[in-house]
Amino acid sequence: MRSCLVVALVLCAWLPGPVRAHDLQHSIDEATAVSVRLFFADGRDFGLESYEIYRAGEEMPFQVGRTDVRGRVVFLPDRAGTWRIKLFSQDGHGGDFSFITGARGDVQGGSKSFLERHLRIIAGVSLIFGVFGLISLFARRGGEAGDAHP
Amino acid sequence: MHIPDGFIAPQMYLPAYGAAIGLWAYGLRRLRTALREETIPRLAVLTAFCFVLMMVMLPLPGGTSAHATGIALLAILFGVWTAFISVSLVLLLQALLFGAGGVTALALNALAMGLVGSAAARYSYLLLRRVHEGFGLVVAGWLSVNAAALLMALALGSQPLLAHAEDGQPLFFPFGLSITLPAVMIPHALVGIGEGVLTLLMFRLLSQRGWVSQP
């Protein structure tokens, strides 16, 4: 009887550890998260696509998953610094960019404006004309006027 | 259609750069001998047209999007090498100004779209115009998109085989060929029809304007 009691006491002392290993606990807390929204130039959401988030300089992802249906990635940075997001869709769309957050999830250098995109298009077209303007300085003169031919 | 940074392993993009640098040098030499002063403004206008076209994303069924390129038109009017150089310039600007297509993937994008796409368009047009010029133009437009898309789907889908961690986890683009081939090719088969019609309409417009001289 005494030995049974000892065994029971030992089991009671030992069992909670292994049992806890299978008992998934949870806590619900308030926190400030960083929300990154991914969308195409026409405004459509990059929804339900794969992403990976990395701390600067690390190869093991900090977080992986899929964007929500509105194309958002929400995560809780555990320290201030640079974060890298890699995004993939099955058809080869995606991106790879970095941004800086503070320790409390405050973001530095957020969104790009609609106007900025249009200014860049104008800059691109201007550069193309500029490059061909330079090429024309070295081109042969004369010849047929319409050299474009199939 | 542009492959961004971070999708392609160095085992692929470094050899692609090696090949592209040699082909860019050859293409620039060809461009210098082929172009005349009078032709350059037209080439500049069509290159700018390509740049803007590639910025206009069209939504497609299934939640994806695609864009026309104008590459077939460049290749038909100016030849494969001139188109290759022009498209490479467009891709470089898009990568630097918009991050549309990566700098590391620039060579692969240029080889796929600028060289393979142009060659597919020009030679299919030269072959088919004997049968029917309009049909040849539409097919050229379709092929310019789909030949490039096929190469990109193969490049993307081979990444898990090329570069992976010890546990098999892909280090770059994570989806294999069984996913990339249908995911890339089906939307581009639709886009190719639009590209073909655009090539036909633009070619006819430019013909009326005297930009095309038949040999």
Side-chain angles (χ1 to χ4, degrees):
Chain A
M1 183 66 189
R2 190 176 169 186
S3 60
C4 285
L5 190 63
V6 170
V7 170
L9 284 172
V10 169
L11 276 176
C12 284
W14 177 75
L15 268 178
V19 167
R20 267 202 306 272
H22 298 279
D23 181 16
L24 186 64
Q25 305 287 315
H26 71 269
S27 70
I28 299 174
D29 309 308
E30 283 191 6
T32 304
V34 173
S35 172
V36 182
R37 183 174 167 246
L38 291 313
F39 53 97
F40 290 103
D42 61 1
R44 279 180 318 104
D45 301 317
F46 191 69
L48 304 177
E49 303 291 1
S50 305
Y51 73 82
E52 295 171 356
I53 300 177
Y54 295 84
R55 293 190 188 107
E58 292 189 5
E59 291 188 359
M60 173 75 77
F62 175 78
Q63 182 173 318
V64 297
R66 284 180 177 271
T67 57
D68 71 9
V69 76
R70 296 289 314 279
R72 289 173 299 201
V73 173
V74 177
F75 80 107
L76 293 164
D78 62 346
R79 64 187 181 197
T82 302
W83 296 83
R84 179 184 180 199
I85 296 192
K86 291 167 75 173
L87 299 130
F88 309 94
S89 69
Q90 294 180 348
D91 61 358
H93 286 109
D96 183 344
F97 62 92
S98 299
F99 58 91
I100 298 170
T101 69
R104 285 181 294 181
D106 45 316
V107 182
Q108 299 166 26
S111 313
K112 290 177 182 170
S113 71
F114 189 70
L115 179 65
E116 186 184 333
R117 176 178 168 78
H118 284 73
L119 288 176
R120 286 177 189 224
I121 291 176
I122 292 167
V125 170
S126 307
L127 281 168
I128 287 169
F129 282 110
V131 166
F132 281 105
L134 282 175
I135 290 173
S136 71
L137 296 176
F138 302 98
R140 288 186 297 156
R141 291 171 186 276
E144 293 177 18
D147 207 17
H149 59 80
Chain B
M1 189 193 282
H2 312 41
I3 299 177
D5 277 326
F7 279 32
I8 301 295
Q11 296 96 308
M12 182 173 279
Y13 72 67
L14 291 176
Y17 259 103
I21 286 169
L23 293 166
W24 280 326
Y26 179 72
L28 282 170
R29 271 189 19 222
R30 291 285 302 258
L31 182 76
R32 202 174 163 198
T33 54
L35 277 186
R36 297 181 188 283
E37 195 179 34
E38 297 81 5
T39 319
I40 290 173
R42 297 174 180 182
L43 178 59
V45 166
L46 287 180
T47 304
F49 178 66
C50 282
F51 176 79
V52 174
L53 263 185
M54 288 191 209
M55 301 309 302
V56 180
M57 301 300 287
L58 304 169
L60 290 175
T64 188
S65 67
H67 55 79
T69 64
I71 290 171
L73 199 63
L74 271 176
I76 290 167
L77 292 179
F78 296 99
V80 172
W81 292 104
T82 303
F84 176 48
I85 296 299
S86 292
V87 173
S88 299
L89 173 64
V90 167
L91 293 172
L92 174 67
L93 289 174
Q94 288 180 331
L96 295 179
L97 292 174
F98 296 96
V103 174
T104 55
L106 175 66
L108 191 61
N109 284 329
L111 290 173
M113 296 167 74
L115 192 62
V116 175
S118 295
R122 182 166 174 91
Y123 295 118
S124 61
Y125 169 71
L126 291 178
L127 192 70
L128 291 172
R129 72 173 174 173
R130 296 170 198 162
V131 182
H132 188 278
E133 183 168 71
F135 178 65
L137 288 164
V138 173
V139 170
W142 190 89
L143 274 177
S144 71
V145 170
N146 283 278
L150 177 61
L151 201 65
M152 289 183 174
L154 292 172
L156 287 169
S158 59
Q159 295 309 306
L161 294 173
L162 270 181
H164 50 76
E166 286 178 3
D167 62 354
Q169 189 72 19
L171 296 174
F172 293 89
F173 192 72
F175 305 112
L177 288 169
S178 61
I179 293 174
T180 58
L181 281 170
V184 173
M185 295 310 296
I186 292 171
H188 283 94
L190 292 173
V191 173
I193 297 170
E195 181 81 27
V197 172
L198 179 79
T199 306
L200 173 67
L201 295 176
M202 284 297 294
F203 186 88
R204 290 200 170 152
L205 176 70
L206 296 177
S207 296
Q208 286 170 7
R209 296 281 169 181
W211 282 34
V212 181
S213 60
Q214 296 288 349

